Amino acid sequence: MKQIENNEVGFIGIGIMGQGMAHNLLKAGKSLYVMANQNRQPVEELKNIGAIELSSVVEIARKCSAIILCLPNSSIDLSTVRTITSNMRPGGLIIDCTTNDAETVRLNELTCKKSDMRYVEAPLAGGQQQSHDGKLGAIVGCSIDNFDAVKELLSPCCDVIERFGDVGMAAKAKLVSNFLALGTA
């Protein structure tokens, strides 16, 4: 049940879902470190309410004891996790909200373990409005020991945070959820 060491949280992936999540983390009093990608508008808006912009994944990894990822795909996610684990202090926590395949999250977990870091998958249910309103759902795959830290960190963003089992289970549950949503549509 190791909690995060300090209130300094990195957030990588300030896009459609990430911007609302980051906004809610700032409202909850977190010291939030972000970086811009191609679209500067979300980062500028977050800076106006207290976020601190850093220029790279390396800088965020060196500054923060916890980092939330909300990236567009598994290949970017794998590369980002490798960069973080090469630069973050041992014991650091990565909460990965990217919608990944099960193989990616298993590889990320192994990479983190080799660097004495903690990895949690937490793909999201909901959309842009739920992100803004702090009403997302988090489908969590992690060890029981890490779940309390995940709940504490994601609670400003999510009104439902459920552990589905160890790493790999959340990716599978998200896939089923997506199939059900597409079938309903």
Side-chain angles (χ1 to χ4, degrees), residues 4-68:
I4 59 172
E5 294 175 11
N6 57 43
N7 225 20
E8 296 180 329
V9 177
F11 201 111
I12 302 172
I14 306 296
I16 291 171
M17 301 292 279
Q19 183 180 6
M21 293 176 71
H23 179 82
N24 287 314
L25 289 165
L26 286 165
K27 283 187 355 187
K30 302 292 182 196
S31 296
L32 194 67
Y33 295 84
V34 298
M35 59 178 254
N37 192 8
Q38 295 170 343
N39 182 1
R40 289 217 42 90
Q41 180 185 354
V43 171
E44 293 300 329
E45 289 175 12
L46 291 168
K47 283 171 52 179
N48 287 336
I49 58 170
I52 300 162
E53 182 179 9
L54 298 176
S55 63
S56 69
V57 173
V58 171
E59 282 189 64
I60 290 175
R62 289 182 178 160
K63 179 72 177 169
C64 300
S65 60
I67 298 175
I68 298 171

Side-chain angles (χ1 to χ4, degrees), residues 168-185:
M169 293 305 297
K172 292 174 184 174
K174 175 69 176 184
L175 179 64
V176 171
S177 173
N178 285 351
F179 277 131
L180 292 172
L182 286 172
T184 301

Side-chain angles (χ1 to χ4, degrees), residues 121-165:
E121 61 168 330
L124 304 167
Q128 186 174 12
Q129 187 63 49
Q130 290 86 3
S131 173
H132 176 75
D133 295 341
K135 301 290 184 188
L136 292 168
I139 304 167
V140 178
C142 69
S143 69
I144 292 173
D145 292 343
N146 288 327
F147 189 58
D148 285 341
V150 172
K151 284 190 340 189
E152 185 261 322
L153 223 82
L154 290 183
S155 64
C157 310
C158 303
D159 63 353
V160 176
I161 303 168
E162 293 291 333
R163 181 177 175 271
F164 277 67

Side-chain angles (χ1 to χ4, degrees), residues 83-105:
T83 302
I84 292 169
T85 56
S86 297
N87 293 283
M88 193 178 212
R89 294 179 298 274
L93 173 65
I94 297 174
I95 300 176
D96 193 348
C97 297
T98 306
T99 298
N100 282 310
D101 57 74
E103 183 61 21
T104 296
V105 297

